[in-house]
Amino acid sequence: MTWGLQNRVSRLMKDGHTVMLAVDHGYFQGPTTGLENPRKTVTPLLPYADSLMLTRGVLRTSVDADQTLPIVLRVSGGTSILKELSDEVVTTSMEEAIRLNASAVAVSIFVGSEHEKETLANLSEMVNAGERYGMPVLAVTAVGREMARDARYLGLACRIAAELGANLVKTYYCEDFRKVVDGCPVPVIIAGGKKVPEEEALRVAASAVRDGAVGVDMGRNIFQSSDPVAMIKAVRAVVHEGKDAEEAARTVRGSLPAR
Ligand code: R5P
């Protein structure tokens, strides 16, 4: 790793772990629940995130430029929930990511989907550019509706991402998750997925970290929580302090709904 690339990766981590706050959902979902007004959602959560994952449009309009939190810039997209989701292109150039002072760029890959090859080409294009400028690339393993979220499939997608040169991979937690981590030679973080009860989401995060994930890139289970600030604090307790889900939920008891 060049110094710049290593420096950017280390900005995303605290003691080898990370809580990335994902608020990029609007790039294909529009004003999704909890993110209707991105500035309102994001502002109170910033002090508790290690980095913020979002598109350039929301970054420029909804986050003040004096903010020092590392930015993970989503650079693939061009589709909507109304069409085939795998039909993505690179929407944002590496030069723009540098202008925006991003600490990493994020590209989705859709292994097994209709446009698998194009999405792997998008990832490769950004890895080549990232190598040129010292910009880490986070590969997001998007799962098509027809795909099983099991260790075999996620292991395949994560390994392909790493083989193409991604510096970090984001995937989903699953049974036998350790196999996914063991087969992926770069750090793995997990997405939160659809909103579930708070303690369940914390349990998934705790299991993922126990099984080798370096952290989470979590969105809906934080910003759709009845108390997003309490929830992100609990996620931090799991990822950074190694607390189990019950203990983490207890630290914010009173704010989070009881089981
Ligand atoms: C997915 O397309 C986006 O990249 C999200 O950032 C990612 O899925 C994480 O968000 P959530 O925890 O809501 O799944």
Side-chain angles (χ1 to χ4, degrees):
M1 255 193 229
T2 61
W3 191 93
L5 201 138
Q6 207 172 340
N7 178 261
R8 286 190 169 97
V9 169
S10 63
R11 277 189 225 161
L12 303 175
M13 305 283 176
K14 300 268 176 298
D15 302 326
H17 288 93
T18 189
V19 173
M20 197 177 278
L21 176 63
V23 291
D24 60 325
H25 304 62
Y27 91 93
F28 71 102
Q29 293 183 356
T32 195
T33 308
L35 268 186
E36 295 88 346
N37 178 332
R39 178 179 289 272
K40 222 169 130 186
T41 303
V42 162
T43 304
L45 297 172
L46 293 176
Y48 308 101
D50 296 323
S51 63
L52 186 61
M53 181 196 187
L54 73 184
T55 58
R56 69 170 148 188
V58 168
L59 176 64
R60 292 192 304 216
T61 56
S62 310
V63 180
D64 292 334
D66 62 1
Q67 179 56 240
T68 55
L69 195 64
I71 298 301
V72 178
L73 193 68
R74 167 168 281 285
V75 297
S76 72
T79 57
S80 82
I81 41 171
L82 305 178
K83 301 274 264 189
E84 167 54 39
L85 286 179
S86 68
D87 197 11
E88 287 198 349
V89 294
V90 170
T91 56
T92 311
S93 67
M94 189 54 79
E95 288 71 20
E96 174 75 334
I98 293 163
R99 250 192 310 277
L100 292 168
N101 200 26
S103 294
V105 294
V107 181
S108 289
I109 59 169
F110 291 74
V111 172
S113 291
E114 195 181 330
H115 297 280
E116 171 188 273
K117 184 179 172 189
E118 289 86 345
T119 65
L120 296 177
N122 292 341
L123 173 62
S124 304
E125 179 189 331
M126 291 318 279
V127 169
N128 287 332
E131 293 296 329
R132 223 163 24 243
Y133 297 106
M135 180 71 75
V137 178
L138 167 68
V140 175
T141 64
V143 181
R145 279 182 201 96
E146 62 285 5
M147 301 298 158
R149 284 192 191 190
D150 58 21
R152 200 159 169 228
Y153 170 73
L154 296 172
L156 172 76
C158 289
R159 180 58 175 266
I160 290 172
E163 297 265 355
L164 293 180
N167 306 98
L168 297 160
V169 176
K170 181 176 92 161
T171 195
Y172 291 93
Y173 185 69
C174 62
E175 205 176 311
D176 290 329
F177 184 70
R178 194 163 275 284
K179 281 190 190 160
V180 176
V181 174
D182 287 347
C184 181
V186 298
V188 175
I189 56 182
I190 60 142
K194 279 190 185 143
K195 174 77 176 75
V196 292
E198 278 79 358
E199 211 164 304
E200 192 180 324
L202 292 169
R203 256 197 302 276
V204 170
S207 305
V209 171
R210 181 202 61 207
D211 292 347
V214 298
V216 300
D217 181 24
M218 195 179 272
R220 288 162 289 181
N221 278 290
I222 293 173
F223 62 72
Q224 291 177 351
S225 166
S226 55
D227 188 340
V229 169
M231 183 59 181
I232 195 169
K233 284 184 184 171
V235 172
R236 284 197 79 78
V238 164
V239 171
H240 287 300
E241 295 164 38
K243 291 200 171 152
D244 63 32
E246 290 70 24
E247 209 185 336
R250 220 178 298 129
T251 62
V252 288
R253 187 75 75 207
S255 305
L256 298 177
R259 267 187 290 176

